[in-house]
Amino acid sequence: DTAVSQTPKYLVTQMGNDKSIKCEQNLGHDTMYWYKQDSKKFLKIMFSYNNKELIINETVPNRFSPKSPDKAHLNLHINSLELGDSAVYFCASSQLGGARETQYFGPGTRLLVL
Amino acid sequence: GNSVTQMEGPVTLSEEAFLTINCTYTATGYPSLFWYVQYPGEGLQLLLKATKADDKGSNKGFEATYRKETTSFHLEKGSVQVSDSAVYFCALITQGGSEKLVFGKGTKLTVNP
């Protein structure tokens, strides 16, 4: 069974479109994260949710809106996509609401905006 | 602020060579330190971690020791294999506040047969 899964794996879309990426974890964790990895492999946290409550919101454009319907899911919706949004987006989860615990990462969603 | 600096890549080695990837950090308080590995086309996996000074993390032949006096957490392996080819990320989490992983820029390792 996949611990942290993301869909879709690849996403190619036009500038200006709205798209969503879904993430699900079956580890029973109560904290989930979204990271962005740019073309140079640099990883940076975007958001973190604990028990469906937003606890970290980095300086991300408000075109990005995370939604957590329950603690096993954290989806990322992106409005008005721009070329600079092209990246790999990783979802992760951890236990006990503390980021000092090991984070488990999904396989990534490769977004290409044309 | 909190930051992680790791050696620039790419690093290319022959099989069975010795590997060192340097990592130093700047942090308030006493962070926990991690090495994550990303194999081609995959997500990140935890390789090893250390939560306090002088702790040594180890896994799959890789080791790293938390050195508070030099604020370092260098990754080492005595004999690399082709299957170790990947991107390696050093990271830290600080105590208190909104805890989050802060990553270094990653070091790409290629091991040739």
Side-chain angles (χ1 to χ4, degrees):
Chain A
D1 280 346
T2 304
V4 182
S5 59
Q6 296 178 228
T7 54
K9 191 170 182 182
Y10 298 97
L11 185 53
V12 181
T13 188
Q14 298 289 329
M15 221 166 39
N17 284 350
D18 303 339
K19 291 291 179 186
S20 291
I21 307 171
K22 295 185 177 182
C23 178
E24 176 181 2
Q25 54 94 4
N26 63 6
L27 298 166
H29 291 166
D30 57 9
T31 305
M32 296 184 72
Y33 313 81
W34 277 109
Y35 289 86
K36 179 180 180 180
Q37 185 177 45
D38 64 23
S39 59
K40 296 183 180 178
K41 299 288 189 183
F42 184 57
L43 264 166
K44 188 165 183 201
I45 191 166
M46 300 173 69
F47 302 102
S48 170
Y49 269 74
N50 175 255
N51 278 322
K52 303 194 299 175
E53 183 180 337
L54 180 67
I55 57 172
I56 293 175
N57 183 350
E58 292 294 283
T59 51
V60 177
N62 58 15
R63 297 182 296 103
F64 290 79
S65 52
K67 285 185 173 53
S68 182
D70 55 61
K71 70 176 189 178
H73 296 83
L74 180 62
N75 303 323
L76 183 64
H77 188 75
I78 315 171
N79 289 326
S80 302
L81 278 155
E82 299 178 357
L83 295 177
D85 298 332
S86 296
V88 182
Y89 292 85
F90 287 101
C91 178
S93 71
S94 68
Q95 179 66 300
L96 301 179
R100 278 182 290 156
E101 300 295 330
T102 299
Q103 292 190 18
Y104 294 82
F105 284 77
T109 295
R110 286 145 186 83
L111 171 65
L112 177 61
V113 182
L114 302 174
Chain B
N2 302 313
S3 66
V4 174
T5 302
Q6 59 182 106
M7 63 187 285
E8 296 273 339
V11 173
T12 303
L13 296 172
S14 297
E15 209 164 21
E16 299 184 3
F18 185 85
L19 169 71
T20 299
I21 301 178
N22 289 338
C23 172
T24 57
Y25 66 89
T26 302
T28 52
Y30 302 96
S32 294
L33 302 173
F34 303 81
W35 277 100
Y36 278 83
V37 58
Q38 183 179 25
Y39 297 104
E42 297 184 12
L44 277 75
Q45 305 172 26
L46 179 70
L47 181 60
L48 52 86
K49 69 178 181 181
T51 57
K52 61 183 188 297
D54 300 325
D55 268 2
K56 178 188 281 188
S58 61
N59 185 24
K60 299 182 181 179
F62 290 89
E63 292 183 342
T65 301
Y66 189 139
R67 302 281 187 206
K68 185 166 174 285
E69 63 276 12
T70 54
T71 61
S72 65
F73 193 53
H74 305 320
L75 182 69
E76 296 182 337
K77 186 173 185 181
S79 175
V80 293
Q81 306 300 313
V82 172
S83 57
D84 294 327
S85 298
V87 181
Y88 291 82
F89 293 91
C90 186
L92 66 81
I93 289 179
T94 54
Q95 297 177 355
S98 55
E99 297 177 341
K100 59 184 180 182
L101 272 174
V102 174
F103 285 94
K105 292 189 175 181
T107 302
K108 183 176 181 181
L109 169 67
T110 301
V111 180
N112 295 319

